[in-house]
Amino acid sequence: MVKGLGKKNKMSASDRKNIRREKSDDSFVFVRSVDVLATSLAGDTSSNTRNTEANKEDIQNQVSPISQRTEPLTLQNFQKFIDTDGRLVDESLLRRTVFLGGVEPNARREVWQYLFALYPCSSTRREREVLLLDYIVKYNEMKSRWKTLLVLSAKPGATKFEQGLVARYQLENPQNGLQSPTLETSDPLANVENLSINVEAAQADSMESDFNALSKNCKFLDFNSEETKQKIEFMKIQSQVYVNRCKIDVTGMKNYLRLIDKDVPRTDRDVPYFKESTSNQLSMLRDILITYATFHPDIGYAQGMNDILARFLYVFDSEVEAFWCFNNYLEKIKEDFLEVGMINKIELVRKLLLEMDSPLLEHLQRHDLGDLLFCHRWLLLGFKREFSFMDSLRVFEILSSHHLELSSIEAETAKRKQAMKEFVRQGGVTRTEPIDTEAEYTFELFMCVALLETCRDKLFRCYDAAMVFECINNLEINLDSILEQSEQLFFRYCKKTVENSFQIVDTPLVRR
């Protein structure tokens, strides 16, 4: 049955006999235009001429629909995605819902657990409890490992500040109970307490941490029960095996530590959650970044990671969950923090702009701005600096939904619709070459082009890098508007690739 025909509009045997199907090299199935119109894809099988012409016009004018932006997903509506055992029942629909409207702040922690692969969608509540306990134990062992190495590599009698266990901005935090190493005291015992033998300090810092401090979401665990204690001991053994197998470059770790201590104190200080100079959140940011850099020496630490992590820490307000979601996210985009990776991504933006607006690219190239390096910040931070902090969270979850990509069902549907339009428009005497789409054109790249289109007129008046950066930095952007424009560009690209794939060919007469 031809797609679009309902049960009430069945084809007759003669109609089916007259339908001639042709399958192209790229697996699209087409129907000759005369037969399409005769059987009326719009759902009306009437044979009168007026309806046929109307259906033809409808097919030829068909465009890919731009999604209607919706309200953010609420916690109550999210609970409808969860079955009685606690499993997420429709991941695809969840991602589509997030793409269309984002997530309400009070539902973000629940939704992001799945969006950033903290838990499998098929996991039950019980399974997630076990996974969280394992996350806590493993993170604690990783964190204890680098702290121990810092202590053992320091000079005998060094303070925690000199060892690298704390940063200067943490010393004034009364919760830490620490004194500045430059602060003198008349109490000789206090000075002695600030100094410790390296091995003793290492043993003290490797003692069992308060798991409740590492994760605020493990209140369901009874740490005093024998069952939980046995699980923790078993998980500790597994985690220690993993940690001890990892080769840690202490010198490299200390270099990353210095960079981290420069960036952490200036991370989102205009956001109340990070505002206080003595904020414990800064300590969690620091510890997570050091842990990641220590156990990922191929990437280490690079500026911008603190901005990405701040989102996770703000949403989860928990060190363990923030670390593992951050770890999972960087696993996908870590090449963007390498020079080659980011250059390749910016090149994709350049290629896409060439497809969608070649005059603008040519203008930028004439003034030595064709490398589009000013897009670097957009891509690396997920447009964080272009929006308010709360809007940046919404952008981040929408992009991370990966709902609208060139490999998605929506893209394939749009290409099939456009292929049918081209087939009808050219009278059924055309065929397609395989449709060539660049799968690496992710939605964030279309968003980059949309931002450039937003300030297109101003960019045509820019003749050097300083003018471009001034234009880019002063953008006034409406989030919903830019998302709609990005989606329009996405479907325009799908349409364009189909149109480019069609070729006129001579076809022999079909014997009736």
Side-chain angles (χ1 to χ4, degrees), residues 146-147 150-151 153-155 157-173 176-183 191 193-196 198 201 205 254 257-258 261-262 265 286 290:
W146 64 257
K147 286 190 172 186
L150 284 178
V151 173
S153 64
K155 295 179 181 179
T159 64
K160 288 188 176 182
F161 173 76
E162 292 169 334
Q163 292 165 351
L165 294 176
V166 295
R168 187 172 296 279
Y169 53 84
Q170 295 174 287
L171 294 173
E172 306 303 327
N173 189 344
N176 286 335
L178 300 172
Q179 286 183 313
S180 171
T182 60
L183 188 65
N191 288 327
E193 289 174 356
N194 277 336
L195 304 175
S196 60
N198 286 350
D205 281 315
K254 289 182 176 180
L257 189 57
R258 284 189 283 270
D261 282 338
K262 288 181 180 178
R286 181 182 192 265
I290 298 172

Side-chain angles (χ1 to χ4, degrees), residues 79-97:
Q79 295 300 331
K80 297 176 183 178
F81 286 90
I82 307 299
D83 67 13
T84 54
D85 291 324
R87 296 184 180 89
L88 184 72
V89 295
D90 196 336
E91 181 184 0
S92 177
L93 180 58
L94 175 64
R95 291 184 178 278
R96 181 176 186 274
T97 304

Side-chain angles (χ1 to χ4, degrees), residues 195-210:
L195 304 175
S196 60
I197 300 175
N198 286 350
V199 175
E200 292 177 350
Q203 291 173 345
D205 281 315
S206 62
M207 291 176 63
E208 182 176 346
S209 298
D210 182 358

